[in-house]
Amino acid sequence: MEEDARVKAVKAVEAIFERYHLIAKARSYHGFDYELISSLKIISATPKGEVEFELVSDEKYGNLNRVMHGGAAALIFDMCTTTALGPLARPGYWDFLGGVTRSLNISYLKAIPTGTTVRIHSSVLQVGRTMALLRGEMRSVDGSVLFCTCEHHKVGVSTPKENLEVKVDWDGWWGEDGKQKAKI
């Protein structure tokens, strides 16, 4: 049963990525967040709102000093911590990209050289109807080096109707009453 819950949690995060890509394709959108979503590899997720990703910090995330740019780290944390809400989401409650950022506080601890593969761990610390507190860490793949951390406060807002009109498998998990169907 626990493994089924983890698989479902990963599928909830994948649904965010799937909807994102479908919307981007329909709008011919290829902004910097598109590049990030296309580069992230989902490693694991839990039903309580934890997600782990891998990402190669290549040149597009770097600066002239050949290390990850602080602004790139902010984008990475913004997107990765937000997706931790995916396993907790349901229609009308933190669905799709979970609202807007209220504050994103990052502590940069060690430079990330260009070409380094990092693990990003995101977790939901608290979530309510309209506010959420998320945490993120960016580490070396073996976990021995902590590069940076973040605390991310989000405010829940309704997902634009046109974004929810783009359907993904996740939408079929829910009944018209907004309750989860028994079988997924």
Side-chain angles (χ1 to χ4, degrees):
M1 184 61 108
E2 185 176 314
E3 186 59 28
D4 288 344
R6 288 180 182 275
V7 168
K8 182 181 148 210
V10 168
K11 288 183 181 294
V13 176
E14 288 173 342
I16 295 169
F17 284 35
E18 182 183 4
R19 191 184 317 268
Y20 182 96
H21 279 107
L22 290 169
I23 293 167
K25 182 179 179 182
R27 296 182 187 164
S28 299
Y29 175 77
H30 294 286
F32 57 88
D33 54 339
Y34 178 88
E35 291 297 321
L36 173 64
I37 291 283
S38 299
S39 300
L40 286 168
K41 178 182 174 187
I42 302 168
I43 302 300
S44 65
T46 71
K48 65 180 184 177
E50 293 178 307
V51 184
E52 195 160 82
F53 299 96
E54 261 187 21
L55 175 72
V56 176
S57 176
D58 60 21
E59 207 171 74
K60 69 179 160 261
Y61 303 112
N63 60 27
L64 290 175
N65 294 326
R66 297 186 186 104
V67 297
M68 183 184 284
H69 190 285
L75 167 69
I76 293 164
F77 276 136
D78 189 7
M79 299 299 284
C80 290
T81 54
T82 297
T83 60
L85 289 162
L88 305 172
R90 60 182 184 272
Y93 180 77
W94 298 101
D95 51 14
F96 191 40
L97 285 174
V100 296
T101 297
R102 180 173 169 232
S103 67
L104 181 66
N105 302 306
I106 301 174
S107 294
Y108 301 95
L109 306 171
K110 185 170 175 73
I112 303 171
T114 302
T116 301
T117 299
V118 295
R119 279 269 171 108
I120 302 121
H121 181 83
S122 303
S123 57
V124 175
L125 299 180
Q126 185 280 330
V127 62
R129 188 175 50 81
T130 60
M131 303 285 248
L133 174 59
L134 314 163
R135 177 167 170 68
E137 290 185 348
M138 210 174 298
R139 292 184 173 269
S140 58
V141 172
D142 68 4
S144 66
V145 179
L146 178 60
F147 294 113
C148 48
T149 66
C150 85
E151 183 177 275
H152 187 182
H153 295 259
K154 291 206 68 100
V155 176
V157 297
S158 297
T159 301
K161 184 179 176 185
E162 65 271 14
N163 288 349
L164 292 178
E165 288 173 353
V166 176
K167 297 297 181 192
V168 297
D169 289 344
W170 181 87
D171 297 312
W173 295 6
W174 307 95
E176 288 184 27
D177 59 0
K179 293 186 178 178
Q180 192 169 11
K181 293 179 180 177
K183 283 282 192 180
I184 307 229

